Amino acid sequence: MCGIIGYTGKLEAQNVLIDGLSRLEYRGYDSAGIAYFRENIAHISIRKTAGKVKDLRSVCDKVNPSTCGIGHTRWATHGGVSTTNAHPHRVGQVALIHNGIIENYAAITEKFNLGDELQSETDTEVGAALLNHFYSQDHDPKSAIRKAVAEIKGSFAFGILFEDRPGEIYAVRNVSPMVAAYDPEIGAFIASDVTAFIEHTNRYFVVPEYAVVALSPNGIEVEDLKGQKLTPEFMTVDWDLTAAEKDGYPHFMLKEIHEQPAAITQTITPRIADGLPDFSQDGVSDAFFEGVRDVTIIACGTAMYAGMVGAEFIQNHLGLPVTVSIASEFRYARPVIDKDSMVIVVSQSGETIDTLEALRLAKKYTDRTLSIVNVKASSIARESHYVVYTHAGPEIAVASTKAYTVQVATMFLLGFKLGLASGRLTEDEARDRVAALKAMPAHMEEVLAYENQVKELTSRMINAHDAFYIGRGLDYRVAMEGALKLKEISYIHAEAYAAGELKHGTISLIEKGVPVIAIANQQPVYEKMISNIREVKARDAFVILISKDKAVHDPSICNVHLSIPDVPDDFTVFETAVLCQLIGYYTSVGKGLDPDQPRNLAKSVTVE
Ligand code: F6R
């Protein structure tokens, strides 16, 4: 939700900011803007526009010698999409960029009588006015920030310029993510995440909450709200710029779909020792898995659907009760968990606010929280008792793909470990399953080779208004993710249904030509599934069948058959997921849409 960047140093700031914003655009792309010290003197200039970062370039000066500025790409929350509402916001001496929400903006406006100074409909402008109010008192940036954050309720990552302080940037955050970096040869950066400045430096630190950060070309100072100096903990990014670029693919989404086999190998290999699951490198002791009475998986969106697969797998194989909770529901419900409950929190970004708050709530009931997170040192990773990082590299397309399959793979491994710890799985059984998991990347490569076939069949989908994904057991759980992929990037209404449930209502929506993606990979219910498919085919649906059969020639079952490599039933989820992702991707492209930046969406949902 909104991307922010700030830079001061030796380079031309406008280039650094706009290049950084284009890599942060996955966080929001309604409008974009920059503020900088014109000619490096005590004069702030602002360029901003509704639209994407490429539109911002066209309203900026061709040559701009400024070496200090801040930039923002917006996902609208308060106030519509317009140039006036775009950041940076300027009030008096202050220019401000903001990721988050100032919840008490109305009360602040009234308390400090700021109404006359506001031009936009945004909460952020109130923040700028408040900072300006305090800055006007003693012209001390840190004191103004301290006083302002004491008034503000909500989440924020602020980047601030004060007009009479050329070359300096100030920053502070609560909840919303912010990282900072410094290289004496280049300068100092703040950003929502490291992709913004990875081109310049790979050493960074996570800005602590409620720390006041002062950037200058000579370095970064960090202090707490009492003025005590803090020593930041620097980390090194384990991927480089190429991981954050399209690398010859037309879209990040397609690149990330293709990266899945490698991402799974990278994620599971360090967690396998002697053919068995082993999380000791993550610091998770065997004791953590012992005596678990039930499991609750908490997440949002695709991560929650990954949780659905994990839950079905763990419950079916181990007989352990598993509940999957939507984070935004869990956090306002009464949790039925205690110290014997294991809570698994799943999040690619590690910053989703509902998931983070749900984790905080769960920690009040149990010391057994474990997160599955992709972004290192993110809030969820830091706050859970244990973290198992997925090694998928940066996921930039808004629609999640590789993060999903690595989350599922990690949950399978956790399931094997739980099975061993509880005596529900023998070592031999666990070994067999680990071996099957290790083989999945190669099978996913085989499925990726069907890309052209999938592309062809989506010509039958682009004019559809509705689509249905049906399956039983694990196939139904993958169907949920398949349906989400299609709807979020192609804007076709799609629903996942447990195949046996169709005739209880939904089948009335099936009419001639409606695409039905039918997944039939669970052998114990295979015949039942085929009967359900016949029911929709008999009503003239356009059926795409995904199954392990070598070939299906019966036209009363399907119009198109995608045959996947024969692996144990549970593991077909990886192959099916790839096909569903390709169906979503090529339908979106076939409709002339941009799958990387679907309307109304943003990655990393840091507002409730
Ligand atoms: C959909 C998608 C979202 C995210 C959800 C949770 O393709 O990406 O549904 O899965 O917003 O995000 P994380 O995993 O970052 O917590």
Side-chain angles (χ1 to χ4, degrees):
M1 302 270 116
C2 300
I4 65 166
I5 179 169
Y7 168 72
T8 178
K10 296 181 178 164
L11 307 174
E12 285 190 8
Q14 183 171 288
N15 296 337
V16 175
L17 298 177
I18 295 183
D19 289 349
L21 286 179
S22 61
R23 281 198 288 278
L24 288 177
E25 213 170 13
Y26 69 89
R27 304 180 67 90
Y29 30 84
D30 293 334
S31 58
I34 56 172
Y36 51 89
F37 289 100
R38 202 184 72 198
E39 311 284 345
N40 293 315
I41 59 166
H43 180 100
I44 294 174
S45 291
I46 291 184
R47 296 284 185 275
K48 58 183 183 176
T49 184
K52 297 193 173 185
V53 173
K54 66 175 169 31
D55 304 307
L56 172 64
R57 281 189 204 270
S58 59
V59 300
C60 286
D61 298 343
K62 290 268 168 301
V63 180
N64 183 342
S66 174
T67 57
C68 176
I70 52 179
H72 187 270
T73 177
R74 179 171 186 244
W75 186 82
T77 53
H78 284 60
V81 177
S82 67
T83 300
T84 311
N85 288 339
H87 301 211
H89 286 284
R90 170 79 189 261
V91 179
Q93 300 262 81
V94 170
L96 179 68
I97 50 172
H98 171 211
N99 170 25
I101 288 186
I102 300 176
E103 287 166 5
N104 60 337
Y105 69 96
I108 291 175
T109 308
E110 202 181 314
K111 179 171 171 187
F112 294 94
N113 198 17
L114 303 173
D116 290 347
E117 298 173 59
L118 307 178
Q119 286 161 15
S120 76
E121 304 157 285
T122 66
D123 53 331
T124 303
E125 197 182 20
V126 174
L130 183 67
L131 280 160
N132 183 58
H133 169 85
F134 290 126
Y135 191 66
S136 312
Q137 293 172 353
D138 53 11
H139 282 245
D140 177 344
K142 292 179 185 170
S143 140
I145 291 170
R146 282 196 288 268
K147 288 178 190 161
V149 299
E151 297 292 335
I152 292 173
K153 289 197 180 75
S155 58
F156 49 83
F158 288 142
I160 314 157
L161 301 183
F162 295 96
E163 182 146 61
D164 54 357
R165 301 213 160 234
E168 294 175 17
I169 299 171
Y170 292 83
V172 64
R173 81 173 186 104
N174 173 41
V175 183
S176 302
M178 190 195 289
V179 291
Y182 177 68
D183 180 322
E185 298 304 316
I186 300 168
F189 301 84
I190 47 151
S192 299
D193 75 52
V194 286
T195 50
F197 53 67
I198 185 74
E199 177 183 358
H200 305 288
T201 176
N202 64 356
R203 266 174 53 74
Y204 73 103
F205 63 90
V206 175
V207 173
E209 282 179 320
Y210 285 108
V212 179
V213 181
L215 290 84
S216 78
N218 304 321
I220 303 180
E221 285 171 14
V222 187
E223 58 182 52
D224 66 17
L225 290 182
K226 292 192 187 109
Q228 297 290 323
K229 271 212 167 357
L230 300 174
T231 312
E233 228 177 272
F234 274 87
M235 290 177 287
T236 305
V237 188
D238 54 8
W239 43 267
D240 62 13
L241 180 61
T242 50
E245 288 185 329
K246 287 186 197 149
D247 199 19
Y249 285 93
H251 297 102
F252 281 111
M253 183 174 174
L254 190 60
K255 178 187 178 221
E256 289 162 7
I257 290 173
H258 280 267
E259 284 172 343
Q260 293 179 101
I264 290 188
T265 303
Q266 278 153 23
T267 299
I268 64 172
T269 306
R271 279 93 192 206
I272 298 172
D274 189 23
L276 291 172
D278 177 11
F279 292 90
S280 54
Q281 279 192 29
D282 301 292
V284 191
S285 67
D286 285 357
F288 181 75
F289 295 94
E290 283 156 16
V292 172
R293 195 199 49 229
D294 52 67
V295 179
T296 295
I297 300 174
I298 307 172
C300 299
T302 288
M304 193 261 298
Y305 290 138
M308 290 277 192
V309 173
E312 174 76 6
F313 178 80
I314 294 172
Q315 186 151 302
N316 262 351
H317 288 278
L318 309 180
L320 259 183
V322 188
T323 309
V324 181
S325 278
I326 299 171
S328 54
E329 293 293 315
F330 181 90
R331 57 180 293 201
Y332 295 111
R334 178 172 164 242
V336 191
I337 54 173
D338 63 22
K339 60 177 183 28
D340 296 325
S341 309
M342 175 185 283
V343 172
I344 302 176
V345 174
V346 192
S347 176
Q348 188 285 129
S349 63
E351 300 293 351
T352 301
I353 190 71
D354 283 321
T355 312
L356 176 61
E357 292 295 344
L359 165 67
R360 288 175 176 164
L361 178 62
K363 282 172 70 180
K364 296 190 176 145
Y365 295 82
T366 178
D367 290 339
R368 288 191 211 233
T369 67
L370 178 146
S371 60
I372 300 174
V373 172
N374 196 42
V375 176
K376 312 288 175 298
S378 51
S379 304
I380 292 172
R382 282 181 286 118
E383 293 198 26
S384 50
H385 292 103
Y386 296 98
V387 54
V388 176
Y389 283 118
T390 51
H391 300 305
E395 191 181 63
I396 295 184
V398 165
S400 187
T401 53
K402 61 179 178 173
Y404 170 80
T405 44
V406 295
Q407 287 160 355
V408 172
T410 307
M411 261 178 292
F412 274 33
L413 270 183
L414 287 170
F416 306 154
K417 186 78 193 171
L418 268 170
L420 281 170
S422 61
R424 290 169 159 101
L425 216 59
T426 65
E427 259 196 36
D428 283 350
E429 285 169 333
R431 253 182 237 288
D432 281 354
R433 288 186 177 148
V434 168
L437 185 61
K438 278 171 78 177
M440 287 324 297
H443 292 305
M444 290 163 88
E445 292 285 7
E446 288 176 63
V447 173
L448 283 165
Y450 304 168
E451 195 171 335
N452 282 336
Q453 200 186 337
V454 173
K455 186 174 175 181
E456 232 165 77
L457 75 84
T458 52
S459 63
R460 290 296 305 263
M461 300 198 49
I462 51 180
N463 295 319
H465 295 292
D466 305 284
F468 294 89
Y469 287 70
I470 60 171
R472 285 171 173 256
L474 269 179
D475 293 344
Y476 167 48
R477 274 57 181 188
V478 193
M480 293 178 186
E481 172 58 9
L484 177 62
K485 280 300 80 101
L486 185 72
K487 63 187 144 191
E488 68 179 328
I489 56 173
S490 75
Y491 316 149
I492 294 171
H493 163 247
E495 272 188 64
Y497 253 81
E501 187 65 10
L502 273 178
K503 55 188 162 299
H504 298 287
T506 307
I507 201 160
S508 65
L509 295 170
I510 304 293
E511 53 185 6
K512 192 171 169 36
V514 170
V516 174
I517 293 86
I519 309 164
N521 292 322
Q522 307 304 313
Q523 293 317 307
V525 287
Y526 180 79
E527 294 305 333
K528 309 259 175 251
M529 184 63 204
I530 295 297
S531 302
N532 297 142
I533 297 172
R534 281 187 204 282
E535 288 158 13
V536 291
K537 192 72 187 69
R539 284 154 181 94
D540 274 337
F542 178 76
V543 175
I544 300 163
L545 171 65
I546 299 174
S547 76
K548 292 192 271 186
D549 308 282
K550 281 271 171 290
V552 175
H553 299 297
D554 182 351
S556 66
I557 299 182
C558 66
N559 301 77
V560 179
H561 178 223
L562 298 172
S563 161
I564 58 170
D566 191 0
V567 297
D569 292 0
D570 301 334
F571 295 85
T572 56
V573 294
F574 296 97
E575 300 162 339
T576 308
V578 170
L579 289 176
C580 289
Q581 293 161 353
L582 288 172
I583 290 172
Y585 172 79
Y586 278 111
T587 306
S588 171
V589 171
K591 290 184 75 172
L593 301 170
D594 178 355
D596 280 350
Q597 296 187 344
R599 69 182 176 208
N600 304 339
L601 289 175
K603 214 166 176 71
S604 184
V605 184
T606 50
V607 294
E608 272 196 57

